[in-house]
Amino acid sequence: METYTAMRHFADSWGLLGMVIFFLGAVLFAFRPGSRAVSEELARIPLEDE
């Protein structure tokens, strides 16, 4: 049972920090300068005729 408690404390502290860092990285990646043009180009791929 001691292992479960240690894992839970680890997940509560470092797991939350890891998820916050991942979320901030995803937001920064999505809103980085120049991403609008790339996103619009990729959004048109299914509509292109070959």
Side-chain angles (χ1 to χ4, degrees):
M1 197 61 144
E2 184 66 33
T3 304
Y4 172 76
T5 305
M7 294 286 283
R8 177 158 176 154
H9 285 291
F10 177 78
D12 285 344
S13 57
W14 293 105
L16 178 62
L17 180 64
M19 287 187 285
V20 168
I21 290 172
F22 178 80
F23 175 77
L24 291 175
V27 168
L28 291 173
F29 179 78
F31 291 108
R32 73 190 187 284
S35 68
R36 178 179 295 263
V38 173
S39 296
E40 288 176 355
E41 180 183 341
L42 294 175
R44 285 192 295 269
I45 289 175
L47 303 175
E48 291 178 356
D49 239 359
E50 293 191 36

